[in-house]
Every structure is written in structure tokens, then in C-alpha cells.
């Protein structure tokens, strides 16, 4: 049995407007992703940054490449899913980055310690659609790892928000080169 899963990446308060690492359009993504929940996916899962002590990932003088201001600290409002995102359809949540930097949802684990790849395979998934925040960071990393793990992978660009046009363009080129199908345009939800 095969099926397609929706992976909702890091739609958290700290990545939406007003958060510690706000991405323009994040709150819109939080609302719009809900429209995908009734689209016949065999599974719907989410990833989240869930930092306890990620070491040098946090910096008082971040370079915004390898180091970042503190964000998505476990147990804080910033780590919670954005209130506009409906969480009832989520079958599992994979937390990443507790004690180190983590960008890909495939670095995360469920509350029971199961990996995303293992969970998807156990549920008969062979293809994934990836959406969320940020196009040029965690969405990119999650989609690349999905393809590396052997899943047919698409990124639904209208349901993503990116940090900057330059890094989004580079991420899209990297995804395309890795065989990830890019559907639509970033920010085009009409």
C-alpha cells in the first residue's frame, strides 16, 4: 500500500510575524495550510523546532547562516504552533533541535522517539508534499532529506514563506537539482 503525506514544517509563533525570527508571510501560511487538510492525504504530520540547549546554534551576535537569535525554546509561546494552524488533523509531530542545530524534519523524532522516515514508511507513505516555514531553510532541508530517503517529493510553494528572495532562489535551484518537484510560486496563493 502506498500513499502521500503532507509534511507541515515549523509553522510556529517564533517564525511568524511578531516572533523572534519572524518570516514575512508566516501567519498567512499558518492559515492557508489548513486548506490542504481535506485534500485526501494518507497522513498529515508536522515538524517543529524545539530547542532546549542547542549550543552554538543560538548567538547574541548571530550570522543568520549558522547562528541565530534564541527562538522556539521548548515550553515557551514562541515554540508553539501558530494559533491559526489547525492542529487536530496532525497525526504526529516531530521535534528537532533540542540540543543541536536542526533544520530538516528528518532530524526530528516523535514523542515516542520514532524518526520521521520510519513513521512515514510504517504508514505506507511513498510520496510527500512539503509546506511551511521557511522555504529557504527548514522547508528546503526537509524536502532534500525526503528525496534522499527515497520519497517522491514535492514542495507546494504557495504554502511556504521564505526569508529572502536571494536565499529562496538558491534553495529552489538546489531542490530542483535534487529532483524535488516545485509546484506553484512562493507567495502565490490566488
Amino acid at each position: 500500500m502506498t500513499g502521500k503525506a503532507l509534511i507541515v514544517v515549523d509553522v510556529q509563533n517564533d517564525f511568524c510575524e511578531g516572533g523572534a525570527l519572524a518570516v514575512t508571510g508566516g501567519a498567512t501560511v499558518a492559515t492557508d495550510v489548513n486548506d490542504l487538510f481535506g485534500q485526501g492525504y494518507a497522513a498529515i504530520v508536522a515538524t517543529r523546532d524545539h530547542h532546549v540547549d542547542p549550543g552554538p546554534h543560538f548567538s547574541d551576535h548571530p550570522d543568520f547562516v549558522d547562528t541565530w537569535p534564541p527562538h522556539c525554546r521548548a515550553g515557551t509561546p514562541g515554540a508553539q504552533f501558530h494559533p491559526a494552524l489547525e492542529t487536530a488533523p496532525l497525526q504526529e509531530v516531530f521535534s528537532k533541535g533540542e540540543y543541536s542545530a536542526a533544520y530538516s524534519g528528518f532530524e526530528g523524532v516523535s514523542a515516542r522517539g520514532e524518526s520521521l522516515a520510519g513513521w512515514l514508511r510504517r504508514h505506507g507513505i511513498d510520496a510527500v508534499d512539503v509546506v511551511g516555514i521557511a522555504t529557504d531553510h527548514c522547508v528546503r532541508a526537509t524536502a532534500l532529506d525526503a528525496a534522499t530517503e527515497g520519497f517522491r517529493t514535492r514542495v507546494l510553494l504557495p504554502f511556504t514563506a521564505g526569508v529572502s528572495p536571494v536565499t529562496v532562489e538558491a534553495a529552489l535551484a538546489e531542490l530542483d537539482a535534487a529532483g524535488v518537484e516545485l509546484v506553484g510560486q512562493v507567495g502565490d496563493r490566488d
Side-chain angles (χ1 to χ4, degrees), residues 12 14 50 62 105 107 125 184:
Q12 296 168 265
D14 270 350
H50 199 245
E107 296 175 84
I125 301 301

Side-chain angles (χ1 to χ4, degrees), residues 143-144 147 153-155 172 174-182:
L144 288 172
T153 305
R154 302 189 315 168
V155 174
L172 298 184
E174 186 179 3
L175 289 164
D176 184 57
V180 172
E181 183 180 350
L182 304 174

Side-chain angles (χ1 to χ4, degrees), residues 111-165:
R112 292 181 303 257
E114 188 172 15
S115 72
L116 176 55
W119 191 96
L120 292 170
R121 287 189 181 101
R122 186 166 58 81
H123 286 83
I125 301 301
D126 66 349
V128 297
D129 285 349
V130 182
V131 299
I133 306 169
T135 316
D136 35 353
H137 295 283
C138 295
V139 169
R140 176 195 64 81
T142 300
L144 288 172
D145 280 355
T148 298
E149 288 283 347
F151 297 100
R152 286 191 326 270
T153 305
R154 302 189 315 168
V155 174
L156 308 183
L157 294 173
F159 300 91
T160 69
V163 174
S164 82

Side-chain angles (χ1 to χ4, degrees), residues 52-168:
V52 175
D53 181 7
H57 183 61
F58 285 175
S59 173
D60 292 333
H61 306 286
D63 63 15
F64 297 95
V65 176
D66 296 311
T67 60
W68 304 88
H71 60 277
C72 297
R73 290 182 188 266
T76 68
Q80 295 173 356
F81 289 117
H82 189 279
L85 178 69
E86 294 174 18
T87 57
L90 302 177
Q91 293 167 261
E92 190 62 81
V93 175
F94 296 86
S95 300
K96 58 189 174 66
E98 288 187 349
Y99 296 100
S100 63
Y103 297 91
S104 170
F106 286 85
E107 296 175 84
V109 295
S110 70
R112 292 181 303 257
E114 188 172 15
S115 72
L116 176 55
W119 191 96
L120 292 170
R121 287 189 181 101
R122 186 166 58 81
H123 286 83
I125 301 301
D126 66 349
V128 297
D129 285 349
V130 182
V131 299
I133 306 169
T135 316
D136 35 353
H137 295 283
C138 295
V139 169
R140 176 195 64 81
T142 300
L144 288 172
D145 280 355
T148 298
E149 288 283 347
F151 297 100
R152 286 191 326 270
T153 305
R154 302 189 315 168
V155 174
L156 308 183
L157 294 173
F159 300 91
T160 69
V163 174
S164 82
V166 172
T167 52
V168 167

